[in-house]
C-alpha cells in the first residue's frame, strides 16, 4: 500500500524538479550557471498568486481547458509505476484508459485555444492536433508490443514484467520500444526536435502559442500538467531501460527517481546538441518511431 501511495505522491511533489534538471543541463551545455533547479516551483507559485484576465469573447471552454487538462493528467498518473514501485491503479486494458486520458487533456487544451478566436492560437492548435494524430498511434503500437511481450494488458503489469533478464532474451524488442517511447516523449511534451518550448517566433511555436492567452492560476495549471506529463512518459520509458524490483521500498523509489531524472537529463542533452526540425521533417521522425514500435511488435510476435 505504501509503495502504491509513493508511486503517486513522489511525482506530485517532484515532477517540476525534472524541468529544473532539463534547464540546468541546457545551461551547462551553453556555459551558463542557469536557473535554480526549483525555478519552476517559484513560477507556478507566482502564477497561482495572480489574477487571470479573461476575454469577454471566450466561453467556458477557455477557462475550463487548463483545469480539465490538469485533471486528466492527474487521473492518468496513478496508472504509471515508478521504478520498482507498482502503479496505484491497475487492471487489464488500462492502457486504453491511460492513453485516452492524456488525449482528453490535449483535446481540451486545443479547444481552449480555438475558443479565443485568434488565428495565431488556431495555427498552434491545428499543429498540435496533427502531431497528436501521428503520435498517439505510435504510442499504442509501442504499448501493444510491450503487451505482447509481457502477456499483460495493464501498464503496470507489462512494465513490471521487464527485468534485467528480459534484456538478455529480448534486447532487440525492448531497445526498439524504448527508442520509440523516447521519441514519443519528446513529441508529446513539445520538446526539441519536435517543438521548442523557449521559442517566441510566430512561425515556430506550437504548444506555447496555444496557451499565450492564459494567465494566473490557469497558466499555473498548464505548467504543472506539463511537468506531470513529462514525468509520466519518462517513468514509462525508464521502467523499460532500467528495470528494478528489489522489494526494498527505499531502493525501488530511489531507482525510479534516478531513472526519471536521467531521462530529464537526456532531454536536456538532446535539446543542447540538435536544433528543432522544420515542420515538414516532423512527420517522418514520428513515422520512424512508429516503425521502431511496429518492428518490435513483429519481432515479439514471431
Amino acid at each position: 500500500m505504501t509503495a502504491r501511495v509513493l508511486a503517486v505522491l513522489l511525482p506530485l511533489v517532484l515532477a517540476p524538479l525534472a524541468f529544473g534538471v532539463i534547464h540546468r543541463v541546457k545551461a551547462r551545455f551553453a556555459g551558463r550557471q542557469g536557473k535554480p533547479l526549483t525555478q519552476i516551483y517559484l513560477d507556478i507559485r507566482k502564477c497561482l498568486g495572480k489574477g487571470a484576465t479573461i476575454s469577454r469573447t471566450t466561453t467556458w471552454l477557455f477557462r475550463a481547458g487548463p483545469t480539465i487538462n490538469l485533471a486528466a493528467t492527474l487521473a492518468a498518473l496513478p496508472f504509471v509505476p515508478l521504478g520498482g514501485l507498482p502503479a496505484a491503479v491497475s487492471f487489464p486494458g488500462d492502457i486504453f484508459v491511460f492513453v485516452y486520458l492524456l488525449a482528453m487533456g490535449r483535446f481540451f487544451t486545443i479547444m481552449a485555444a480555438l475558443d479565443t478566436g485568434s488565428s495565431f492560437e488556431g495555427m498552434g492548435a491545428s499543429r498540435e492536433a496533427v502531431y497528436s494524430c501521428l503520435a498517439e498511434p505510435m504510442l499504442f503500437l509501442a504499448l501493444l508490443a510491450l503487451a505482447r511481450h509481457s502477456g499483460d494488458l495493464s501498464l503496470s503489469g507489462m512494465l513490471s514484467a521487464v527485468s534485467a533478464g528480459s534484456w538478455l532474451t529480448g534486447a532487440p524488442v525492448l531497445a526498439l520500444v524504448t527508442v520509440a517511447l523516447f521519441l514519443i516523449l519528446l513529441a508529446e511534451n513539445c520538446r526539441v526536435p519536435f517543438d521548442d518550448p523557449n521559442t517566441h517566433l510566430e512561425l515556430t511555436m506550437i504548444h506555447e502559442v496555444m496557451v499565450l492567452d492564459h494567465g494566473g492560476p490557469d497558466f499555473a495549471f498548464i505548467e504543472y500538467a506539463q511537468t506531470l506529463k513529462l514525468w509520466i512518459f519518462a517513468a514509462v520509458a525508464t521502467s523499460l531501460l532500467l528495470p528494478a524490483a528489489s522489494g526494498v521500498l527505499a531502493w525501488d523509489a530511489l531507482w525510479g527517481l534516478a531513472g526519471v531524472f536521467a531521462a530529464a537529463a537526456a532531454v536536456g542533452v538532446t535539446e543542447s546538441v540538435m536544433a528543432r526540425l522544420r515542420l515538414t521533417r516532423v512527420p517522418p521522425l514520428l513515422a520512424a518511431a512508429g516503425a521502431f514500435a511496429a518492428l518490435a511488435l513483429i519481432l515479439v510476435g514471431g
Side-chain angles (χ1 to χ4, degrees):
M1 183 64 183
T2 304
R4 295 180 186 275
V5 172
L6 276 179
V8 175
L9 191 59
L10 289 174
L12 291 177
V13 177
L14 298 177
L17 196 58
F19 264 49
V21 171
I22 294 174
H23 294 154
R24 181 59 61 89
V25 170
K26 292 172 66 175
R28 290 301 169 89
F29 266 83
R32 296 181 285 105
Q33 179 66 28
K35 303 175 184 175
L37 286 172
T38 56
Q39 183 63 48
I40 188 71
Y41 290 97
L42 302 176
D43 293 343
I44 291 174
R45 189 182 67 176
K46 182 175 69 177
C47 288
L48 286 174
K50 289 185 173 181
T53 302
I54 309 294
S55 169
R56 285 175 296 179
T57 63
T58 58
T59 68
W60 64 271
L61 271 173
F62 179 78
R63 189 61 187 265
T67 305
I68 296 176
N69 178 41
L70 177 58
T73 309
L74 287 171
L77 183 62
F79 293 101
V80 182
L82 175 64
L85 304 180
V89 178
S90 177
F91 54 86
D94 64 9
I95 57 172
F96 299 101
V97 179
F98 168 73
V99 172
Y100 281 112
L101 280 171
L102 295 178
M104 184 173 73
R106 189 207 305 268
F107 172 77
F108 277 97
T109 302
I110 291 173
M111 293 302 293
L114 293 174
D115 192 54
T116 63
S118 164
S119 57
F120 191 28
E121 296 197 27
M123 175 196 69
S126 65
R127 290 175 177 175
E128 181 85 357
V130 170
Y131 282 15
S132 66
C133 289
L134 296 171
E136 284 169 13
M138 312 312 172
L139 178 58
F140 266 123
L141 271 178
L143 293 178
L144 286 176
L146 281 180
R148 187 68 183 271
H149 180 267
S150 63
D152 198 315
L153 267 179
S154 71
L155 187 61
S156 184
M158 64 177 66
L159 293 177
S160 62
V162 178
S163 63
S166 302
W167 280 90
L168 297 176
T169 58
V173 171
L174 295 177
L176 286 167
V177 174
T178 302
V179 172
L181 285 175
F182 186 70
L183 290 173
I184 294 167
L185 178 155
L186 296 175
E188 288 279 353
N189 289 279
C190 313
R191 312 301 307 194
V192 174
F194 299 96
D195 193 4
D196 186 353
N198 296 321
T199 185
H200 291 92
L201 298 175
E202 178 180 340
L203 295 179
T204 60
M205 296 174 77
I206 299 177
H207 177 78
E208 292 302 313
V209 69
M210 292 196 306
V211 299
L212 276 181
D213 283 344
H214 289 288
D218 290 342
F219 193 68
F221 290 171
I222 292 170
E223 290 282 279
Y224 187 52
Q226 277 296 105
T227 65
L228 289 175
K229 194 172 181 181
L230 177 72
W231 181 287
I232 286 171
F233 280 93
V236 172
T238 55
S239 292
L240 291 180
L241 192 61
L242 304 170
S246 65
V248 180
L249 183 64
W251 170 251
D252 287 344
L254 287 175
W255 187 256
L257 292 177
V260 170
F261 290 128
V267 172
V269 172
T270 303
E271 297 193 350
S272 300
V273 299
M274 67 184 302
R276 180 182 180 278
L277 292 176
R278 292 170 56 187
L279 289 176
T280 54
R281 299 283 181 86
V282 169
L285 186 55
L286 282 173
F292 289 141
L295 183 57
L297 187 59
I298 293 171
L299 287 177
V300 76

